[in-house]
Amino acid sequence: MKSLAAAGLRIVEGWTAPDGLLPPTVTGQAPSVPSEDGRVEAMLDFLDPHLHEKANADWYRLSVEGGLFSETDRRFLIALHPGQDRLARWHCVELQSEWDIMGKGADGLLGSAPYRPEFRMLSLDGNVLCFATTWEHDISTSVLKAPHRSQVLRRWAEALTDGTMDDMGDPDDAPLSVAARRWLDTTGNLSD
């Protein structure tokens, strides 16, 4: 959790994930969602001399404009892995006044090194997904409103209902196949 604090995020205690929330494992396919489906992306080259500042600014701008959080309520969900070979779980966090998501954050739980982000964030209501990915020469930050409308995510969730990844979940949580089916069923009438 020191890594989250360095990024400027504070865990909100007492939060419980509601039934039917988009499973974090499904969000792994988010970079494959085409822009025609509403994904808004900001891309930066590793060699940009202002990479740190621009990457943080892009993340914040896209997050606020997209509705991940607001200026007055800076809480959102972040997918964190409880351990190696374990499925990620959503945790509620609050953005503090001093933060560095793409630098110190990406050097910890939010990536593989400074300015090499790999994270998934979700609005409290589950209607906005924010994610960052490191490519060969670039990093990208994207926001996807109404992730339940994405056929890429829905197809991946449907594939996960076969139960092949259920043994990787936390024994206290619903199996991934059940969580994926719940999300598909809960959002099915919204995807039109």
Side-chain angles (χ1 to χ4, degrees), residues 14-26:
W15 178 82
T16 304
D19 281 344
L21 201 57
L22 173 63
T25 303
V26 174

Side-chain angles (χ1 to χ4, degrees), residues 17-185:
D19 281 344
L21 201 57
L22 173 63
T25 303
V26 174
T27 67
Q29 294 297 311
S32 299
V33 173
S35 58
E36 297 81 40
D37 286 357
R39 179 177 52 86
V40 177
E41 179 179 42
M43 183 94 62
L44 291 169
D45 188 291
F46 289 153
L47 301 178
D48 188 313
H50 302 287
L51 179 62
H52 188 187
E53 297 83 13
K54 287 181 178 180
N56 271 329
D58 283 346
W59 172 79
Y60 190 82
R61 177 183 53 79
L62 288 172
S63 295
V64 172
E65 288 175 1
L68 179 68
F69 60 86
S70 68
E71 294 284 348
T72 56
D73 184 357
R74 294 161 55 117
R75 295 175 301 149
F76 56 93
L77 308 179
I78 188 162
L80 298 175
H81 291 272
Q84 190 174 4
D85 298 327
R86 303 302 288 171
L87 296 175
R89 299 173 73 189
W90 291 119
H91 295 268
C92 186
V93 294
E94 183 173 28
L95 185 66
Q96 302 300 288
S97 57
E98 299 281 325
W99 56 270
D100 183 5
I101 300 297
M102 296 298 195
K104 293 175 185 172
D107 193 28
L109 291 173
L110 306 181
S112 58
Y115 327 118
R116 302 300 183 264
E118 288 294 336
F119 59 75
R120 309 289 179 261
M121 300 169 174
L122 191 66
S123 61
L124 293 178
D125 63 6
N127 288 325
V128 178
L129 176 63
C130 177
F131 50 98
T133 300
T134 300
W135 302 102
E136 186 174 354
H137 301 287
D138 307 286
I139 61 172
S140 71
T141 306
S142 299
V143 167
L144 176 64
K145 292 182 182 181
H148 60 273
R149 290 193 172 123
S150 166
Q151 289 308 305
V152 170
L153 298 183
R154 295 188 74 77
R155 279 192 300 273
W156 179 231
E158 190 65 49
L160 294 172
T161 64
D162 70 1
T164 56
M165 293 180 64
D166 284 354
D167 61 338
M168 294 176 64
D170 188 308
D172 295 333
D173 293 340
L176 178 56
S177 60
V178 172
R181 173 55 53 207
R182 224 179 257 152
W183 177 69
L184 287 165
D185 291 348

